[in-house]
Amino acid sequence: MILRRSLAVLCALVLVVTAAACTSDDDGPRSAADAFVGAFADHDVDGAAAQTTMPDRARSVLAAAWDGLAAESLSARTGRVRLDQDVADVDVTYAWTLPGGRTWEYDATLPLGRSDTGWTVRWSSTAVHPHLGADQRLVLGDLSPPRAAVNESDGSEVMVNGTVTSVSFDGHAAVDGGDVIGSATRLVQVMGPLVPGLSVQRIAEQATASDDPLPVGVLPAGDVERLRPELDLPGIVLSERSVLQPRDRNFASAVLTRVANAVGGDVVGKPGWQVAVVNPNGVVADVVHHEQSVPAPAVSLSLSRSVQDAAQRAVNSVQGRQAMTVAIQASTGKILAIAQNGDADRIGLPATAGQYPPGSTFKMVTSAAAMNAELSAPDAMVACPGETTIGDRTIPNYDGFALGQVTLRQAFAASCNTTFAQLASRMGPSDLAHAAAAMGLGADYDIAGIESASGSVPIEPELVQRSEDGFGQGKVLASPLGMALVAATAATGTLPVPTLINGRETTVDGPKVTLDSDVYARLRPMMRAVVTDGTASAIAGQGEVFGKTGEAEVAGGSHAWFAGYRGDIAFATLIVLGGGSDAAVGITRDFLAGIPADFRP
């Protein structure tokens, strides 16, 4: 009986010791694994490497992981332990926090071994990632999404994703290569035709004095491969980047350059990223994680290819003078065309931002102001003498023509300066400015994609000055965009807000002024008479066109203007120092003739 009890106690003690031994074996590899991943997660590569059988080799690989991923932090947790006598495998889960709010989580396995000193991680690069081989490293890379296209309103692409190559000069690399002046000289020879004014001495001095490569210029995609061998010299650095490029360089080139800057952030989309396993020679051996980039939706412009092309062909016929036409959809304000010839392109975007005296096209505003103040009406009789004197100023008609007593409509069609000077002289100081604001001149339009200035019409208490303003001379200024807005307002009775990029609202800073709609109803027949019986008869064959001609005298000559509308297309054409208005009427005639008969904006 005593023997049986002793044997039971002995067996119980054996079971306890055995269980304790198993528990100790299990906790040993887990503790070693926890020590390794804890130090690794704390960016203590020395401490983590010390937990391995090959500390020097481990230290290099662990540090390369942090550097290659540009990691911000790491968390790691151990999981199941699989024990087989003196070896064990411990599951571990890594969760990296990478730049840009990105996270990357994956599972790995730590191999461990037991020696006289305890459990240790048996070093293998797979301790960092299961696909990481010896002498390889993990590298984080961005995946740029393709840029979205930019479309015009007829549906075709006008800007697409492309690449250009930036050229820089690294003075320190050139020094190491042994020939700074030689490399800089070759760089200037190749880039000089594309970037005028480059200096070998200045490039060499600035590049060697700077820690960063000196930007020199940009190579278009078509020139890169041709010029690359000539630029393969110490210090010359080539780097590609994605850009929006015009599909057709003849399509609104001055406008698209500005649009590209305005929509740059809208067309990039959400970039993707990947983690790759890279060999020592830099070649990607495997992609272990991939996040697809998400392209942005296409950007749509209000420009119409049909209208833009027709306007461009028309203005291109003018040589040696700046010529430009702006067309908008009268009912919506959507800009359908901004066409400039090469002479105009060289000074920027005068079609929307230039300020010029509008000449007799401003008589649309003066007529509206007179009718709004009940000073006259289309059928009211007015005087059209060859000249008139107001204060100390004698105002003549063009070539001194005189019509005698005629209706306001006839005086408008014939463009009698004397009639409209007399009307303005009878107005109050703010009447012209009030009507101009109602028709689009004077407000600040912040149009996404382009700079703009509609014009300016001052409140004028001085009699003579106000009289000159009345026929578009004096201090009145306007851009073709501004006069197109005047024509659009006459066409619809409502001032539209101009826009260029669909979905981007234009902000307007200025007084909100309206005129009685009856004013515009009475103005339209007067504008039609300009074409049927007046100064724009040369355009009569282009359908039911309404408009007003203008010739604005300036130093060195006069500007030629024509503004009006046909259907829902309002327009304004200006030839700077183009002489008589006949030239602007002719350009507009060719423009309207180039638009398909069935076109509807």
Side-chain angles (χ1 to χ4, degrees):
M1 191 71 175
I2 294 173
L3 179 60
R4 185 180 298 114
R5 185 179 298 112
S6 298
L7 287 173
V9 170
L10 179 61
C11 289
L13 288 172
V14 169
L15 289 173
V16 169
V17 170
T18 302
C22 293
T23 301
S24 176
D25 286 343
D26 182 66
D27 287 349
R30 183 183 297 281
S31 297
D34 284 341
F36 170 80
V37 299
F40 187 24
D42 288 340
H43 205 164
D44 177 10
V45 295
D46 290 333
Q51 305 295 320
T52 72
T53 55
M54 302 175 65
D56 291 340
R57 179 63 185 148
R59 185 181 301 107
S60 173
V61 176
L62 295 172
W66 276 93
D67 292 343
L69 295 174
E72 296 176 354
S73 65
L74 169 66
S75 65
R77 63 182 186 274
T78 56
R80 179 184 175 192
V81 177
R82 294 177 295 282
L83 180 65
D84 184 6
Q85 298 185 10
D86 291 335
V87 296
D89 288 328
V90 179
D91 293 339
V92 60
T93 299
Y94 294 116
W96 294 91
T97 300
L98 306 179
R102 295 171 285 197
T103 59
W104 179 39
E105 184 173 315
Y106 59 88
D107 296 327
T109 301
L110 292 181
L112 292 97
R114 180 166 50 188
S115 65
D116 293 341
T117 58
W119 287 93
T120 309
V121 174
R122 292 184 299 144
W123 176 249
S124 168
S125 55
T126 57
V128 174
H129 190 279
H131 292 175
L132 187 65
D135 298 322
Q136 293 179 328
R137 66 187 190 278
L138 296 173
V139 175
L140 172 68
D142 289 325
L143 301 174
S144 298
R147 277 172 162 74
V150 177
N151 302 326
E152 48 82 31
S153 62
D154 293 355
S156 68
E157 291 181 340
V158 294
M159 301 191 81
V160 294
N161 189 51
T163 58
V164 296
T165 300
S166 297
V167 182
S168 304
F169 190 66
D170 187 336
H172 302 289
V175 169
D176 293 341
D179 190 8
V180 176
I181 297 299
S183 293
T185 299
R186 189 62 189 145
L187 179 62
V188 171
Q189 290 173 344
V190 174
M191 296 296 294
L194 300 172
V195 187
L198 294 178
S199 163
V200 172
Q201 191 66 32
R202 187 165 60 250
I203 288 175
E205 291 176 354
Q206 291 180 355
T208 52
S210 173
D211 293 334
D212 300 318
L214 177 71
V216 176
V218 175
L219 288 175
D223 294 334
V224 174
E225 295 308 315
R226 176 174 60 86
L227 297 175
R228 189 185 297 274
E230 301 183 54
L231 295 172
D232 187 16
L233 293 170
I236 299 178
V237 181
L238 304 181
S239 57
E240 286 189 352
R241 57 187 174 89
S242 296
V243 295
L244 271 178
Q245 292 183 325
R247 185 175 283 280
D248 178 0
R249 295 191 178 277
N250 295 319
F251 184 88
S253 57
V255 177
L256 295 188
T257 299
R258 291 160 170 80
V259 167
N261 293 330
V263 304
D266 295 344
V267 299
V268 173
K270 181 181 179 182
W273 56 282
Q274 68 178 22
V275 177
V277 173
V278 178
N279 290 331
N281 61 2
V283 175
V284 173
D286 190 11
V287 175
V288 294
H289 186 79
H290 180 90
E291 294 282 345
Q292 187 69 39
S293 55
V294 180
V299 174
S300 179
L301 305 181
S302 62
L303 293 180
S304 158
R305 180 171 292 280
S306 299
V307 181
Q308 178 69 36
D309 285 349
Q312 193 67 56
R313 286 191 298 268
V315 299
N316 283 349
S317 67
V318 179
Q319 302 294 321
R321 294 281 188 272
Q322 300 162 25
M324 58 206 82
T325 293
V326 172
I328 66 176
Q329 186 175 20
S331 59
T332 65
K334 290 184 177 181
I335 299 174
L336 303 174
I338 302 172
Q340 301 183 157
N341 67 356
D343 292 284
D345 279 349
R346 279 188 280 276
I347 67 168
L349 203 60
T352 62
Q355 297 292 278
Y356 308 89
S360 292
T361 58
F362 190 73
K363 290 172 184 172
M364 290 185 286
V365 175
T366 306
S367 297
M371 290 187 287
N372 191 62
E374 298 184 353
L375 295 176
S376 191
D379 294 326
M381 299 304 293
V382 294
C384 177
E387 63 180 34
T388 187
T389 299
I390 299 175
D392 60 359
R393 170 81 157 93
T394 298
I395 298 169
N397 283 334
Y398 179 72
D399 282 346
F401 77 87
L403 299 180
Q405 289 292 116
V406 293
T407 64
L408 181 63
R409 178 169 49 250
Q410 290 172 307
F412 185 87
S415 204
C416 291
N417 291 343
T418 54
T419 302
F420 287 89
Q422 287 287 354
L423 277 175
S425 72
R426 295 162 51 197
M427 294 180 188
S430 63
D431 285 353
L432 285 177
H434 180 89
M439 301 181 79
L441 296 183
D444 291 328
Y445 297 95
D446 186 3
I447 305 172
I450 54 171
E451 63 268 29
S452 67
S454 61
S456 60
V457 180
I459 295 174
E460 186 54 71
E462 205 280 317
L463 177 66
V464 174
Q465 189 66 61
R466 186 167 70 251
S467 301
E468 292 183 341
D469 289 348
F471 58 98
Q473 297 282 170
K475 296 180 181 179
V476 174
L477 296 173
S479 65
L481 172 63
M483 293 313 301
L485 289 172
V486 170
T489 307
T492 65
T494 302
L495 172 61
V497 176
T499 57
L500 177 65
I501 302 173
N502 293 333
R504 294 272 202 100
E505 292 186 3
T506 296
T507 58
V508 185
D509 184 11
K512 298 187 184 310
V513 178
T514 59
L515 302 180
D516 187 356
S517 61
D518 184 58
V519 168
Y520 302 115
R522 289 183 286 172
L523 178 59
R524 291 177 203 126
M526 294 169 58
M527 294 173 64
R528 179 62 179 148
V530 172
V531 176
T532 58
D533 303 308
T535 53
S537 58
I539 205 171
Q542 293 306 319
E544 194 174 10
V545 180
F546 299 70
K548 184 67 191 80
T549 56
E551 180 179 344
E553 295 181 4
V554 293
S558 56
H559 302 325
W561 283 91
F562 184 53
Y565 66 92
R566 185 182 74 179
D568 201 19
I569 300 176
F571 55 80
T573 296
L574 167 64
I575 305 174
V576 176
L577 297 177
S581 61
D582 289 349
V585 172
I587 293 299
T588 308
R589 177 194 60 217
D590 295 344
F591 157 54
L592 293 178
I595 300 175
D598 59 350
F599 176 81
R600 295 292 182 273

